[in-house]
Amino acid sequence: MSEQKTAPGVSWRRVRQLDTNNPPSHVNISMACNHCQDPQCLLNCPAGAYTRLENGIVYQDHAKCLGCRMCTYACPYGAPQYDPVEKKVSKCSYCKERVEQGLMPHCAEACPGGNIIVGDLAELEARYQGVREIPGITPKAEVTKPSILINPAKPHKN
């Protein structure tokens, strides 16, 4: 079930399959908005529909969206999604309302494998030793400074 009740064809989270040859491996990475420190959606939205909140959430005021899609072209992660029926763009809000109530974002709470973990980025980085980009797979992290860690090859420390 979609917590945000997105329209058919609008998917704020996508699972990407990655295969490597040396060493041979197959991993799935769940990707959504990375709530970047330097969000290109915010910088390129002519309507001013995006705001980076104090807690790091990159929030879209959907009422301000003109449907021009500049944010969809600017985001290297493809996070903002255009709805051709509504003729507007929407994206993951990190379940802003849930977080404000002290709850986890729904994706982290509902992930059956416990693979979506949220928290202080520095603490998560120290614990999981993840990376912010995978060369040749994800965009260069220096462009947007994503608030994400990817750890596809290493088991996590408990």
Side-chain angles (χ1 to χ4, degrees):
M1 177 181 159
S2 172
E3 173 77 7
Q4 301 297 329
K5 297 175 180 61
T6 56
V10 175
S11 180
W12 290 351
R13 179 166 292 282
R14 293 172 306 283
V15 176
R16 295 181 62 188
Q17 295 181 5
L18 305 175
D19 295 305
T20 62
N21 293 325
N22 193 9
S25 68
H26 173 81
V27 295
N28 294 313
I29 297 179
S30 180
M31 298 292 290
C33 177
N34 295 322
H35 299 280
C36 301
Q37 295 171 39
D38 192 9
Q40 298 302 299
C41 58
L42 182 151
L43 296 173
N44 288 280
C45 176
Y50 292 90
T51 306
R52 188 162 191 279
L53 306 177
E54 285 186 31
N55 62 6
I57 294 173
V58 177
Y59 185 74
Q60 183 213 39
D61 181 342
H62 194 64
K64 291 182 180 180
C65 178
L66 304 173
C68 71
R69 297 190 248 186
M70 292 303 293
C71 58
T72 65
Y73 304 129
C75 176
Y77 300 98
Q81 298 288 301
Y82 181 72
D83 179 347
V85 174
E86 185 184 22
K87 297 189 179 348
K88 285 191 170 195
V89 173
S90 62
K91 69 165 214 62
C92 163
S93 66
Y94 199 74
C95 294
K96 175 183 168 289
E97 292 78 15
R98 289 176 59 90
V99 169
E100 288 171 347
Q101 296 172 28
L103 301 170
M104 299 286 281
H106 196 264
C107 61
E109 187 176 88
C111 181
N115 296 308
I116 301 172
I117 302 168
V118 300
D120 178 82
L121 195 57
E123 289 175 18
L124 292 172
E125 199 165 29
R127 182 174 180 193
Y128 295 101
Q129 318 208 333
V131 296
R132 293 206 171 103
E133 68 181 73
I134 300 174
I137 305 294
T138 62
K140 293 205 175 290
E142 65 212 29
V143 175
T144 63
K145 300 177 186 72
S147 298
I148 183 174
L149 292 177
I150 304 168
N151 192 355
K154 299 177 186 174
H156 64 270
K157 301 176 202 171
N158 286 325

